[in-house]
Amino acid sequence: MNATSDPMDTPSSAGSTWVIGDVQGCAQALRALLALPELSAPDARYWFAGDLVNRGPDSLGALRLIMSLGDRARSILGNHDLHLLAVAAGVRRPGKSDTFHDILEAPDADALIDWLRHRPLMIRAHGHLMVHAGILPAWTLDQAQRLAGEIETALRGPDWRAAMADMYGEEPRQWDDALQGPDRMRVIVNALTRMRMCTPDGAMDFHHKGPPDQDSELRPWFTLRDPRADGETIVFGHWSTLGLHIDEHRICLDTGCVWGRALTALRLGDRHCVQQSCTLCR
Ligand SMILES: [Mn+2]
């Protein structure tokens, strides 16, 4: 299993761990956020909720800044990071709104891509579990961690380029323990990195990208889980139209920095929140 457990998982380290929402190439906002007195304390640690790159003005700068934090930072993969890996692997074409060419054209592009494909899809420590998008209602958290490990193994293996090609597509939309091969990979990747809304019986929908809609039969994935059965707080990003959402058991931190709003950091120990507005993306 590769989904990482933190060897330094003590209650005290939760007090200095900041979770940071979707950076998406907003290197300047991230630099300003990390320079704030609370976040720049020597014992501060950072968890990045994925989508480190793309759509924003400086994907290369954001990636280098996060890499420069070394062991102080842990990052998971989001759908935009996977898209960059798929383009680097030659199995997807970049789209018109993609802004990660700077990474692909960097002199050390291979090393940057190798670093990125070794990131996990889940971090679980301090009573918190972080994924980029969500956890399927059909999964237990332990099961989700094992399934994330399957994708991490594929991404780190010698055939990672071929594996990337298998990860794209919207079907199947529901989990089945019997799923194998590309179908199995797609459900896992789509749930962990793309999901927002589900049908009441737990099938993923990929068309509703706005905020939760009371008139729709679709439900936010996290309302279809029993928080008491989970027993851990789930932290995620990816859903800028949901925005900052903090309740007892779920925390969404995508506050749309790349859409001219703000980058959010939340301290796990006391849930203290700090925001940095993005001046370049207005
Ligand atoms: Mn995303």
Side-chain angles (χ1 to χ4, degrees), residues 75-234:
S75 304
I76 57 171
L77 293 169
N79 54 306
H80 284 287
D81 309 309
L82 289 173
H83 178 51
L84 168 58
L85 291 177
V87 171
V91 301
R92 299 255 295 171
R93 291 213 191 106
K96 270 185 272 183
S97 46
D98 289 336
T99 60
F100 47 53
H101 305 84
D102 50 359
I103 294 174
L104 296 170
E105 290 158 12
D108 54 344
D110 288 349
L112 299 171
I113 293 299
D114 276 344
W115 182 88
L116 197 61
R117 73 184 173 88
H118 283 80
R119 294 313 97 198
L121 281 98
M122 180 183 295
I123 294 175
R124 205 173 174 190
H126 316 312
H128 292 73
L129 182 155
M130 182 171 77
V131 289
H132 179 63
I135 306 283
L136 267 183
W139 293 340
T140 65
L141 300 188
D142 286 344
Q143 182 181 16
Q145 185 173 11
R146 285 193 298 274
L147 298 174
E150 292 183 18
I151 304 300
E152 291 160 6
T153 299
L155 283 173
R156 294 168 191 187
D159 298 326
W160 71 275
R161 291 181 177 83
M164 291 304 316
D166 289 339
M167 290 181 193
Y168 285 90
E170 297 186 349
E171 300 293 338
R173 292 174 191 244
Q174 238 166 336
W175 181 248
D176 182 331
D177 286 332
L179 286 173
Q180 301 276 339
D183 282 349
R184 185 179 178 91
M185 285 189 106
R186 273 197 298 277
V187 177
I188 301 169
V189 167
N190 285 342
L192 296 176
T193 72
R194 293 180 62 204
M195 175 171 69
R196 293 185 185 89
M197 301 289 263
C198 289
T199 62
D201 62 347
M204 293 180 276
D205 170 89
F206 299 110
H207 299 285
H208 186 113
K209 296 185 178 180
D213 176 358
Q214 303 297 332
D215 297 329
S216 164
E217 64 142 20
L218 297 172
R219 300 274 175 272
W221 63 268
F222 52 88
T223 66
L224 296 170
R225 301 189 63 81
D226 175 3
R228 273 165 306 204
D230 284 342
E232 289 163 51
T233 297
I234 302 178

Side-chain angles (χ1 to χ4, degrees), residues 19-22 47 49 130 235-238 243-246 251-256 262-266 273:
V19 286
I20 298 175
D22 308 39
W47 289 7
M130 182 171 77
V235 182
F236 59 102
H238 183 60
L244 187 63
H245 171 98
I246 303 173
I251 297 172
C252 177
L253 289 173
D254 183 3
T255 45
L263 188 60
T264 297
L266 175 145
C273 252

